[in-house]
Amino acid sequence: FSVPILKNTSMIDRLFTIESADCFRVLAQEFDYLYSLDKDLRAAALAMQVKAHHRKGYALSPWGTLDIFNDSSQYALLLGLDDNLKFFNNLKTYQETIYQIAELSYERDPYVYKCDPVSLQKAKKIIDELKIPGSGPKIGLNTGCGSVFATKKWPSSHFKLLAERLRKSLDARIFLLGGEKEQLENETIANEFTGEIANTKSHSLDVFAGLLHEMDCIVTSDSMALHLALAVRTQTIALFGPTCAQEIDFYDNGQALIAKRECCPCYRSHCLFETSCMAELTPEMVENAILEGFKRHRRSR
């Protein structure tokens, strides 16, 4: 997903992927600074080969394990080794940690992402053609969460109940968002609300970002959609249970709803209990957060 997100960023001169043979061109060059910000061992191994006067971030040890180039990266390394630190004691957002690695001053610099104009126009056309009735806000429900930590998923039944509540309380226009893996679920939900809410279907990442941009509010679990929604400045309600909410900076444009079980966070791919912690975040709680978010937005205008 990195290339579609980064390709329109004017601050990047050249963009290579680790899978591409073009990345070997990097080894023939010399740089002032190298920032190695990914714990992936392949990325760390490549970083070891790059010629740079100053190296910061993750490195590879002589034994093939993850190491660091600079002392300021020690805290980030420990976050991956010490669950107690990561789960309960850490108060730094991911962005703060990255800036600490790079030895730069963090001033809550927002995401840099520019919607591709063509993709944005496609997103607007998709929304217009769906012709969802209602005079209220456009609210996107992102039903997916990826496969690595499937425990992050909010129950489908909760999305249905939330859609019902939002139609009644806000006359909201509801749009179901997701990728290919969410299409069966989204279509099933949409069919239960024939003509009242819509499945936007699966699209390229650029068009997906455009759909997020066109919404007045997004409801999502801890997923790529969360970060893209924040990047395009759409109000976001994010649902957390198995992962750490404190790592996310909402830039005053949304909030986290956090499950309160003693086992949270766990970062497990499968829940050990019959009912997931995510089910404890009720549709009523999410609806109230959306309503309060709209009130705050009106007061700040």
Side-chain angles (χ1 to χ4, degrees), residues 22 50 64 71 82-83 110-111 148 216 220 255 265 269 285 301:
D22 286 337
V50 174
D71 291 341
D82 186 338
D83 286 350
Y111 289 98
V148 177
D216 296 299
T220 180
Q255 70 174 98
S269 56
M285 294 166 62
R301 293 181 69 176

Side-chain angles (χ1 to χ4, degrees), residues 171-188:
D171 195 23
R173 289 165 285 170
I174 307 295
F175 298 87
L176 299 170
L177 305 167
E180 290 184 8
K181 293 181 180 179
E182 288 73 53
Q183 290 316 296
L184 179 59
E185 176 183 2
N186 287 357
E187 198 60 44
T188 300

Side-chain angles (χ1 to χ4, degrees), residues 113-169:
Y113 181 83
K114 182 179 180 182
C115 281
D116 170 55
V118 174
S119 298
L120 186 58
Q121 192 60 40
K122 287 181 181 178
K124 291 179 179 179
K125 183 179 180 182
I126 290 167
I127 292 170
D128 290 341
E129 290 180 347
L130 287 170
K131 294 181 169 45
I132 296 303
S135 58
K138 298 189 294 291
I139 298 180
L141 307 182
N142 181 66
T143 58
C145 67
S147 57
V148 177
F149 299 114
T151 47
K152 296 187 295 184
K153 181 169 172 47
W154 205 42
S156 183
S157 58
H158 282 30
F159 277 113
K160 293 176 188 176
L161 289 172
L162 177 62
E164 288 179 359
R165 298 183 72 98
L166 294 173
R167 288 284 295 144
K168 292 177 181 177
S169 62

Side-chain angles (χ1 to χ4, degrees), residues 30-91:
E30 188 170 310
F31 300 89
D32 293 316
Y33 287 88
L34 175 136
Y35 297 101
S36 176
L37 305 177
D38 196 322
K39 292 179 181 178
D40 182 88
L41 294 179
R42 297 176 306 160
L46 178 62
M48 296 291 293
Q49 308 303 316
V50 174
K51 296 187 287 289
H53 297 294
H54 305 280
R55 302 182 186 195
K56 304 180 190 299
Y58 300 112
L60 206 62
S61 76
W63 302 275
T65 55
L66 201 63
D67 202 350
I68 53 175
F69 285 119
N70 56 326
D71 291 341
S72 294
S73 298
Q74 183 72 29
Y75 186 79
L77 181 65
L78 288 175
L79 283 175
L81 301 174
D82 186 338
D83 286 350
N84 194 57
L85 173 63
K86 180 177 178 67
F87 294 176
F88 307 112
N89 296 325
N90 174 54
L91 297 177

